[in-house]
Amino acid sequence: MTDPDEILALEAKFWQAMCDEDIGSAVAMLDEQAAVAGMRGVHHFDHESYRKMAEEGGAKLISFKFADEKMLFPTPDVAVATYTVDQTFDMNGKQQQMTSFDTTTWVKKNGTWLASAHTETPKPQSPEDDND
């Protein structure tokens, strides 16, 4: 069985690559076909379109901190990381902070774990915003 710490380390490595604007390292950790779902909708991408999105995006991640990390292993070659993340980022020259609830699905292919799908749900700003 895979060690949950191995997957969490990969998750942190991916986030750090975004902080460092190391697009090549981030792309190397992605499945050839991947998806992300968040407040701007659902996007499917391959390596080249991720690279273009990262190069042209208006946001730059500055820092992040994980909490409440948990792992699921539905099969030996699939891992789902769930966590809360506090992140600071620059959006078009303005520094912002956000807390969100994230998941990443990792798939093991040819012995290598690759990120296949990621979701990000922003934490509501106030109790009135939480309609769950």
Side-chain angles (χ1 to χ4, degrees):
M1 181 173 189
T2 301
D3 178 3
D5 290 338
E6 176 184 2
I7 302 301
L8 292 172
L10 288 170
E11 194 73 29
K13 183 178 177 181
F14 190 90
W15 279 75
Q16 189 60 52
M18 290 190 297
C19 283
D20 298 340
E21 298 184 90
D22 184 354
I23 298 169
S25 291
V27 166
M29 298 177 72
L30 291 172
D31 202 348
E32 181 56 40
Q33 295 294 315
V36 63
M39 62 184 176
R40 290 198 169 93
V42 176
H43 301 282
H44 293 89
F45 49 86
D46 59 15
H47 287 178
E48 194 52 43
S49 56
Y50 177 86
R51 182 181 301 282
K52 183 177 179 181
M53 180 174 57
E55 289 171 348
E56 296 175 1
K60 188 225 183 286
L61 185 64
I62 298 169
S63 65
F64 65 94
K65 182 179 178 185
F66 296 154
D68 305 320
E69 304 100 320
K70 302 250 185 321
M71 294 298 308
L72 303 171
F73 292 95
T75 69
D77 290 340
V78 175
V80 181
T82 66
Y83 52 93
T84 301
V85 61
D86 291 318
Q87 54 189 296
T88 302
F89 57 95
D90 180 284
M91 178 67 84
N92 299 318
K94 183 179 176 190
Q95 187 167 312
Q96 299 182 33
Q97 293 183 313
M98 180 173 78
T99 299
S100 61
F101 309 112
D102 288 26
T103 67
T104 304
T105 301
W106 294 84
V107 179
K108 196 174 203 178
K109 292 186 174 182
N110 300 317
T112 301
W113 286 102
L114 300 170
S116 183
H118 181 76
T119 67
E120 182 169 87
T121 303
K123 181 178 179 180
Q125 295 296 314
S126 67
E128 294 81 31
D129 293 337
D130 190 359
N131 295 322
D132 288 337

